[in-house]
Structures are given as C-alpha cells and as structure tokens.
Amino acid sequence: MLKADKIKHKPEDENAPFGALNSKQNITGERSKFADLQNLSLKPSFKKNFPDNVSGEINVPCSKSNTISENANVISKAIDGISSTSAVIQDRVNPTSILFRKATNIAAKTENEQLSGNRNEALKEHILARKRASSVFEEGSGEQPKLKRECTNLARNATNKLKQGLGDEALKKSNLVNQISSMTIKSEDQQTVQRDSYSSKLLSIVTDIDKNDEDSLLVSGYTNDIYEHLYNLESEQPIHKNYLGNQLVIKAHMRPILIDWIYEVHVNFKLVTETFQLAVAIIDQFLQIVYDLPRSKLQLVGATALFIASKYEEVHPPALYDFVYITDGTYTTQQIRQMELKILKTLKCNLSRPLPIHFLQRFSKAADADSTHRAMSKYFVELAMIETDMAHHKPSEIAAAAVYLSSNILKRDNYALPTGFIDSCWTSTLQWYTKYQIEHIKPIARRLAVIARNAPIAELKTVYNNYKSPDNFNVSMLTQKYHALIDSIIEMESGEMEVEREAEN
C-alpha cells in the first residue's frame, strides 16, 4: 500500500672543480731578479736548471766593456726566453689547467653540434610535414576541417613549452604534426575518419555539438573522454538476457510490478530521474547475482535500492523512516539497513553502471531536439525500464532507440501518413555520437513502439499517466494521436523481418 502522498647554504663553489691554481709565483720571482741586473757592472753568469722534462739552459754573459744599452738588449732577450719557458713551467706545475681548458672547449663544441643537429632535424621534419600536408589537401576537398575546442586549448598550452625548449623550428614542426595527425583522409570517393576520444577533426557532414558551449560546467573539453568511459563501463557491467530465469522463486512477471511501484514512489517523493534509474540498475544487478531471494523480500530489495539510489543522487534524500512508511510498516528500519549492507556487499560497493539518462542527454543534443522531443525520448526510456525483456539492452542502446523513434514521430511534415521508419531521421551526427548503425537501432526502436502503443491499455500505467501532464508536454497523448504512424512502424518492420526470415530459409 502506497502512502507516499502523505510524506513531508651556503653551498660549496661548484664552479671550481679542480681547486685553485697558483702557477705564477715562481715565474714572478725570477723576473724580479733580472730587473736588478741592469744596475750591475760585473760579469755574472746566470744559469737556470729546469726539471728533467723541461730541456735547455739559459746563460746570460755580461761584459764590463758593454754599454748599458747593449746589456739591456741582452737582458731583454734573456727575459723573452724565460717568458717563453714560463709557459712550459706553468703547465708542468699545474697540468690540470690544460685539461680544464680542453674539456671546456670540447663541451662547448659538443653543445653547438647538438644544437645544430637539433635544428637540422627539426627543419627536415618541417619540410617532410609540409609535403605530407600539401599532398593530403591536394587529394581531399582542399578545405581544412575545423579544430575542436579541446584540441585548440591543448595546442595553445603546448605551444609555450615548445617555444621555450625547442625553438621556432620545433614549434612549426609540432603545429604541422598536430594538424596532420587526425586529418580527414580521402579514400577513393568516400571520406573516412578515425574516431577516438581525442579526435580533433569531424567529417564535414557531422556537426560539432560542443562547438558553441560557453558554460564551463559542461566541461566540453572532456565530454568525449567521459562518454568513452561510460561506454566501457556498460560493457563491463552487463545485464544478461532472461537473467530472472535463474531465480528459484522470483518470476519474470514480478519485476514490472516492483519497478512500477518504485516509479510511483519516485514521482510522489519528487526524486530526480537518475534516482529511479539507478534504483532499477541496482535491482537488476542484485537479482542477477542472488538466485535464492524469497518472494517476501522482493519489495524490501526494491525499497532499499531506492533508498541507496536517493543517497547517491539526491541533494536532500528522504529519511529512512519514509521508506518504512511507504511499505506500510511491512519492514523495519533495521531490516532496511541489513538489506542495504547485503546489496552493497553483493555489488562490491560498485554503483558505477551508466544510466540511460546519461546517454539520452548527449544523444538529444546530437539530434538537436527541442523540449517536446526530449520529453518523448525520456518517456520511451522509462517505459522500457518497466519491461523485463528490455533489461538486457545496454543503456546507450535504449537511449539511442528512444531518440530515433521520437524523431520519426515528431520530425515529419505529415504525421497521418503511415510510412514507417524514415532512415533520414538517423543523421550522420547521431551515428557519430551514438556509435550505432541504423540497422542496430531499428529492432529496439520497433520494440519501444510496441510498448508505447500498448501503454494506454496496459495494467501498469504509472509512467503513461505521469507523461499525460502539461509539465511533460502531454507526450503520452501524442503517441495516441499518431497511432497510425506507430502502427505502420511496427507492421512494416515486422513484415521486413518476416521477408528476411523467409529469404534465409
């Protein structure tokens, strides 16, 4: 029974690795002696003996009859001889000075050669990159695709570093490499492009839906990476087809009743869509693992899953006593806490499975959907979550099929013509961002059309009644208005499948 409507050093000198050099003390002393010889009138004989490996002697004869000028010339020659010999003595006394000078010259030469080599290499790469760029543009349309914002920002940040570290030649090389790395390559008559999370080029027929984003909260620079991660997560955490067939007690027809009740509680509590969809994901993952759940505990699992999801998604989640109240006192707070621990332990505290609403927001933007289009797509998604046979589809598949079906219903000039699916509704932009071919989406969209057609007469009408309100643009009533079109979609697609089966047989 639901009662939700009642809820309220100084360091050492590193530049002197070889120590101080005091090599000129002896030489200076010898020169001072010869300066005094000009005043002598004697005949001194000056003899200088050098170490073993410094050859030669210097004899300076002085005559009394020589004039002062002649003596001066002789003394000058002797000084020149000693000066030339002093260099040999200096190198002998301090051989490390020679090594130091040679090492400095070699290091400077090596550095210059390396810088010159780097410039030459960058120049070669620059020329090769320019040739590759010109050849690509000559083969293609001649127009350079536009860069996405995230790649422009990354290039701007990298520019400063390259300019400081490598110089202008390396900078030009880097710019050309960035332009060519993800450039559209024309193969025969068809243009193809490699799609990745960092792709900075789109096909000319694909619209960059993040181009005009000005709100920083949209984090457009990381959007492609985020959705690549979500695609990986939904593949890592699948819900298997007919997973309830392994249950010992719980049957497949019990799940829609439980999910419909959870949706009603979600509406009365005014919880966000993410809370409802996360609760459904928790229930499916838990029942896929636990096979022996008693029937009396099924509602407890549903209430606890909604309790966990509300704490995960809501800013102000309902109190624990509210969940006791909506079960009409069937379960106590202690039982809900114990089930909460059991669910989280079973799921290993992993609540990261993506939700259809996450993909629906992205795909609606790619479809350039207005408010009515978004509401109808969301209506189809929530109808699908009630059905047990739709639980095994990936969230991205459900979202893509809902956008495709709502596009076929709303984006037509004449809604009365029963023309079935129109392939043009699945644009190249939608195919790019959803990663799904139209052949993959059509069967799921046809199944959604069947569910939408039967919604007014179904036993579980909570979703249908909720979308009859003006707040949701009366989209559930629109599906009734265009029932002839929906019938043609179902019948024509069913007929095509029968023809294919006959052809296979």
Side-chain angles (χ1 to χ4, degrees), residues 243-276:
Y243 73 92
L244 289 176
N246 297 325
Q247 287 287 335
L248 301 178
V249 179
I250 306 300
K251 303 301 180 182
H253 69 274
M254 298 179 184
R255 181 188 177 276
I257 299 173
L258 176 66
I259 303 302
D260 186 78
W261 174 74
I262 290 176
Y263 187 83
E264 187 178 359
V265 175
H266 144 265
V267 171
N268 282 276
F269 277 160
K270 294 181 170 53
L271 305 178
V272 297
T273 303
E274 288 82 355
T275 301
F276 164 69

Side-chain angles (χ1 to χ4, degrees), residues 144-157:
Q144 184 178 3
K146 296 181 179 179
L147 285 172
K148 291 187 70 175
R149 176 183 301 152
E150 58 266 31
C151 294
T152 305
N153 293 336
L154 290 173
R156 186 180 296 113
N157 294 334

Side-chain angles (χ1 to χ4, degrees), residues 60 108 117 137 145 235 245 302 425 435 445 462:
V60 184
F137 284 120
S235 299
C425 292
K435 297 186 176 182
T462 307

